Amino acid sequence: MTVPPISWIVLPPDQTNSRHAEVVMSVEGTIYTCDNLEHIDQHMDGGPFTHIAASPNGRSLALLTASSNLWVITSDFQRKILEFDISTLSPPSFSSSSLSSSSSSPTQIGWCGSDAVLIAYPNCVFLLGPGGETLSYTYASTPCLVTEPDGTRIVSAHECDFVQRVPESLDSVLRPGSTAPAAFLFDASESFAKREAAVGGGGATVEMKSGGVDGVTLRGGGRADESIRAMKPDLAFAVDACIDAAGREWEVVWQRKLLDAAKFGRAFLDLVDPRPFVTMGQTLKVLNAIRYYEIGIPMTYQQYTLLSPDQLLTRLTSRSLHLLALRIANYLSLKPDPILKHWACAKIAQTRPGGGLGTAGGSGESDEAVARGIIEKFEAMGAGAGSAGVSYAEIAKKAWESGRTGLATMLLDHETRAAEQVPLLLGMREDGRALEKAVDSGDTDLVYQVLLNLHKRLPLGDFFKLIEDGGPKVAPASKLLQLYARDQNREMLRDFFYSDDRRVDSGLLLLEEASTQEDISARFNSTKAAQKFFSEDRERGFEARMVEESAKLLALQQTLEKDVDGKAPFVGLSVSDTIMLCIQCGLSKRAERMRGEWKVSDRQYWWLKLRALTEMKAWDELDAFSKSKKSPIGYEPFVRHLVSKGYGKQAGAYVARCDPAKRGELYLSCGEYRAAGREFKEKGDAAGLSEAIRLCPDNLTKRELQGLLSSV
């Protein structure tokens, strides 16, 4: 496309075959249709087209050529429905100062329904029917066409007209000479009403009697009875047509007559659903209320049906007609929450504290008075605290945006949903209250949201001070912060403990970090720093000494690793394991020195050396060690430890040094059955010999043991 379009319109997705929004544009002498995927030249002759309009149902297009020809074609550009030369139109008479419509160009074209086209000129509008029929409407100023689903609204500087085709139901009922069942029903109703009025209400009645319509007859209303009899098979359809016609009618008097006709016909039906009649009555009440001249919303029944009552209430509230909207909502049993919310926001915008004027020139009211008025109104309408529809937080936000922080705070106090209350408090910089409300809600996710928001926005010192000043009220938030920081931000946790002067917690945190550090120097420094924190607390003297010894042990282990060229991992071991590893690495003197420095008892040292030499399988050294002096743990532990490690033969050498009463049992655990038998024989223990015979795997040894048993 090298030139801009002359005219264009947008077709919504529900009016196109592709189900995409399309643009229909006139370019030079043809028509293009474009969507988000492609553009198609429709190869239309007769252009350029100065005006384009689509019918409400999307099936037809009206095109006005530069040569004053009006085309009506299908929206798929396959068939021309009508071609009309608008230069043949005869405009009404105008004053000499006005331009005639024939000497001026159309300003706009539009559809009236889906079967008639309106052509607007500077001072008049022509209606072109399906067969080329025309009607004209004259205006003192340039009219503007607004297409509606069921007609067209013509708006000028001084008036607003609505042009539509007479609805089918109204035409069938009120058209002169109509033979539709609904017309007969309406005629019967009118005849019955006139007869009743003529006799003062006593001469025409409906009574149950055999021979009438389904057992019902009209006494004193012969013409009405004949009409009902004539339309008996179609009576239900006639009732529905009268109900629909009442909705299409604008005059209240005729609405009442049509509903009376429907009510009259319902009396002769056995089974009838009352809901359409009741619903239409409610709808007409609403439509008549908004059509009243002080309100000025001339909405048709079809527009109301397509719009829905909720959208009508939205339009009323946008025009600040809150009282009418509330009455309609109450009448239709709809929730008043959106209306109340809009009213509250408007009230806040129109008032200012201290007697000042609001944005709409309203009088001044104090924040307390405004808050009290809003809350009382909400509670009176059943939309107060706990309601699922109205949120005080949304209204409080409006108050805060208007610069009325005090009013916003008062309203937020009545908000029961913390998820809506807390974010606004954060936005208002009411950080302390936001944290308290989040904690009171019991929602950990909400508490974390507040904490992370505050941590991101506030300086670290102010953030910690806010939590500390909260006291017991925000204690759960403090615990959650510690849990989060322990996993995600340990530096922040360290700063938090330091700012709160929690020395013990700081020391424990350092010890925890030291246990995971790979670098030995860093681990040593963390341990020394933890020892310093513990030493600053008088009640933690024991912990300070223990941590100091841990740092000392860590330094020693670092030295030992250097001595063995890193062949043995000393760092991180306990004192006992360090001594054992020293023995295994041949650092016996170091082990002896550690024994003295760390005050390891003789019993513990002997146990450690026994385990170390056993793991080394240093049997000669173990034997020499056992003979170095009297064992403080005895020799039975030697036997049992060696047996538990699977060294029964080596364990047997130490049984002779054990208590004589236990030697037989110890020999038996070592697998020395002959020695065990001798010990049992010396003690005269027949049961012990029997147990040895049972356990012995060698038959020759068994016979020897049986011989010993027989001699006991």
Side-chain angles (χ1 to χ4, degrees):
M1 188 171 67
T2 58
V3 296
I6 300 172
S7 60
W8 57 279
I9 60 169
V10 178
L11 298 179
D14 59 338
Q15 295 184 4
T16 63
N17 294 327
S18 64
R19 295 306 175 192
H20 295 288
E22 292 184 2
V23 178
V24 180
M25 63 179 70
S26 170
V27 180
E28 296 181 341
T30 186
I31 294 288
Y32 282 90
T33 57
C34 307
D35 59 17
N36 59 340
L37 299 177
E38 59 181 353
H39 66 278
I40 301 174
D41 184 357
Q42 300 296 336
H43 301 289
M44 296 289 294
D45 298 328
F49 301 94
T50 58
H51 295 82
I52 305 175
S55 62
N57 61 12
R59 297 177 181 176
S60 304
L61 293 175
L63 308 175
L64 183 62
T65 68
S67 58
S68 300
N69 283 325
L70 179 68
W71 293 3
V72 178
I73 63 174
T74 57
S75 58
D76 58 1
F77 301 93
Q78 299 299 313
R79 184 167 63 91
K80 183 185 293 186
I81 301 173
L82 175 68
E83 182 175 357
F84 187 85
D85 185 4
I86 65 172
S87 63
T88 62
L89 294 174
S90 299
S93 299
F94 290 92
S95 63
S96 57
S97 60
S98 303
L99 294 174
S100 68
S101 58
S102 60
S103 62
S104 61
S105 300
T107 58
Q108 188 181 0
I109 64 173
W111 283 83
C112 181
S114 295
D115 51 8
V117 178
L118 286 169
I119 308 167
Y121 287 88
N123 292 97
C124 70
V125 174
F126 286 98
L127 175 66
L128 179 63
E133 309 89 347
T134 60
L135 290 174
S136 64
Y137 304 91
T138 305
Y139 294 92
S141 59
T142 302
C144 176
L145 306 180
V146 181
T147 300
E148 300 284 358
D150 55 345
T152 301
R153 207 173 298 280
I154 305 176
V155 183
S156 65
H158 304 94
E159 54 191 316
C160 175
D161 294 333
F162 183 71
V163 180
Q164 71 170 156
R165 181 175 181 174
V166 177
E168 183 178 350
S169 57
L170 267 178
D171 182 66
S172 66
V173 176
L174 300 179
R175 178 169 48 85
S178 174
T179 59
F184 283 112
L185 176 60
F186 182 76
D187 181 63
S189 175
E190 287 290 288
S191 298
F192 182 75
K194 289 178 182 179
R195 177 66 178 173
E196 186 179 35
V199 298
T205 59
V206 180
E207 66 175 8
M208 304 298 296
K209 181 178 179 182
S210 177
V213 179
D214 293 332
V216 183
T217 187
L218 293 171
R219 187 174 62 187
R223 181 181 175 186
D225 187 62
E226 292 175 2
S227 298
I228 294 296
R229 288 174 181 275
M231 56 174 294
K232 175 183 174 182
D234 300 318
L235 184 57
F237 298 103
V239 170
D240 292 339
C242 287
I243 293 174
D244 186 73
R248 311 287 178 172
E249 178 56 53
W250 288 76
E251 293 293 335
V252 177
V253 174
W254 286 97
Q255 291 173 0
R256 186 176 291 111
K257 288 183 178 182
L258 289 165
L259 287 178
D260 286 342
K263 182 173 65 174
F264 179 75
R266 288 173 64 241
F268 298 92
L269 295 174
D270 292 332
L271 299 175
V272 60
D273 185 2
R275 288 177 295 181
F277 184 85
V278 175
T279 303
M280 182 59 73
Q282 292 179 334
T283 301
L284 287 176
K285 267 196 170 184
V286 173
L287 290 175
N288 291 333
I290 64 174
R291 290 170 181 172
Y292 190 61
Y293 75 95
E294 292 183 353
I295 306 301
I297 302 180
M299 183 178 291
T300 66
Y301 172 72
Q302 183 174 346
Q303 292 170 11
Y304 174 81
T305 304
L306 295 174
L307 185 66
S308 80
D310 290 327
Q311 291 298 319
L312 173 61
L313 295 178
T314 301
R315 288 192 179 186
L316 292 173
T317 53
S318 65
R319 296 175 61 177
S320 297
L321 298 173
H322 302 105
L323 180 58
L324 178 61
L326 281 174
R327 288 176 176 173
I328 292 176
N330 184 56
Y331 180 67
L332 297 178
S333 301
L334 300 175
K335 287 188 176 181
D337 301 340
I339 306 168
L340 292 173
K341 174 187 170 183
H342 191 279
W343 166 80
C345 293
K347 185 176 181 65
I348 292 171
Q350 293 172 1
T351 59
R352 283 291 182 272
L357 295 179
T359 56
S363 60
E365 290 186 54
S366 65
D367 289 345
E368 293 79 3
V370 175
R372 184 169 56 254
I374 292 174
I375 294 165
E376 290 176 354
K377 175 64 73 174
F378 279 18
E379 292 177 349
M381 297 299 295
S387 170
V390 175
S391 171
Y392 281 106
E394 296 177 1
I395 303 169
K397 182 178 181 181
K398 178 67 176 179
W400 176 62
E401 291 173 350
S402 301
R404 304 179 72 171
T405 306
L407 175 58
T409 303
M410 296 177 197
L411 292 172
L412 276 178
D413 287 338
H414 291 79
E415 176 58 60
T416 58
R417 288 164 286 195
E420 298 184 9
Q421 184 183 36
V422 170
L424 182 57
L425 286 172
L426 288 174
M428 294 168 57
R429 298 299 188 264
E430 295 285 343
D431 300 331
R433 295 192 63 188
L435 188 57
E436 290 180 11
K437 295 294 183 181
V439 171
D440 292 341
S441 71
D443 187 348
T444 55
D445 291 338
L446 188 60
V447 177
Y448 276 128
Q449 178 185 350
V450 175
L451 290 174
L452 295 176
N453 182 286
L454 296 178
H455 177 252
K456 181 179 180 180
R457 179 165 53 84
L458 297 177
L460 200 57
D462 295 342
F463 174 55
F464 293 150
K465 187 175 185 300
L466 178 66
I467 298 176
E468 295 165 9
D469 294 344
K473 290 184 178 181
V474 299
S478 176
K479 294 178 181 178
L480 289 175
L481 176 64
Q482 295 175 46
L483 288 174
Y484 166 78
R486 193 175 296 276
D487 290 335
Q488 304 293 333
N489 193 343
R490 301 182 74 88
E491 187 67 30
M492 182 178 72
L493 182 61
R494 187 183 299 111
D495 294 337
F496 177 67
F497 286 154
Y498 182 80
S499 67
D500 201 20
D501 199 23
R502 295 165 61 172
R503 303 177 187 277
V504 175
D505 289 328
S506 298
L508 292 174
L509 181 62
L510 285 170
L511 288 179
E512 184 180 343
E513 293 177 354
S515 64
T516 60
Q517 289 173 335
E518 299 291 337
D519 185 68
I520 299 176
S521 299
R523 186 183 299 185
F524 178 77
N525 293 333
S526 297
T527 306
K528 290 294 290 182
Q531 186 271 333
K532 181 180 179 182
F533 279 117
F534 285 120
S535 65
E536 291 174 352
D537 191 333
R538 295 182 180 180
E539 298 180 358
R540 301 294 176 179
F542 173 77
E543 288 84 350
R545 290 193 300 273
M546 292 298 100
V547 175
E548 183 179 9
E549 290 183 0
S550 177
K552 181 180 177 182
L553 176 62
L554 186 60
L556 175 61
Q557 290 171 341
Q558 188 176 4
T559 303
L560 291 173
E561 279 197 2
K562 292 180 180 179
D563 291 344
V564 297
D565 297 328
K567 296 179 180 179
F570 282 92
V571 175
L573 300 178
S574 64
V575 173
S576 299
D577 292 338
T578 303
I579 292 175
M580 284 182 58
L581 192 55
C582 283
I583 295 172
Q584 292 173 352
C585 292
L587 303 176
S588 300
K589 292 184 179 180
R590 285 291 184 89
E592 290 287 346
R593 192 182 310 159
M594 284 189 65
R595 171 188 175 186
E597 291 178 357
W598 299 95
K599 300 179 181 179
V600 178
S601 64
D602 285 347
R603 290 179 58 84
Q604 184 178 1
Y605 182 73
W606 273 67
W607 264 110
L608 294 174
K609 194 161 187 178
L610 169 62
R611 291 166 55 193
L613 294 176
T614 301
E615 290 182 11
M616 295 171 59
K617 299 181 182 180
W619 311 125
D620 294 338
E621 293 183 29
L622 181 60
D623 183 62
F625 172 64
S626 67
K627 296 176 180 178
S628 61
K629 66 175 185 178
K630 184 179 180 181
S631 171
I633 60 174
Y635 293 97
E636 183 178 344
F638 280 71
V639 177
R640 295 196 181 279
H641 180 70
L642 289 169
V643 169
S644 67
K645 297 297 183 181
Y647 306 122
K649 182 178 180 181
Q650 288 78 8
Y654 300 96
V655 176
R657 306 182 198 178
C658 298
D659 183 8
K662 296 182 178 181
R663 288 176 186 171
E665 179 186 350
L666 293 174
Y667 274 127
L668 201 60
S669 65
C670 296
E672 298 288 343
Y673 297 104
R674 289 189 178 88
R678 290 193 294 269
E679 291 292 335
F680 288 136
K681 182 178 181 303
E682 290 179 5
K683 293 189 298 180
D685 188 353
L689 279 169
S690 298
E691 181 67 15
I693 293 171
R694 187 182 69 82
L695 295 176
C696 182
D698 183 58
N699 291 330
L700 180 60
T701 306
K702 273 188 178 182
R703 287 195 292 269
E704 293 179 8
L705 293 175
Q706 288 172 352
L708 294 175
L709 178 61
S710 62
S711 64
V712 172

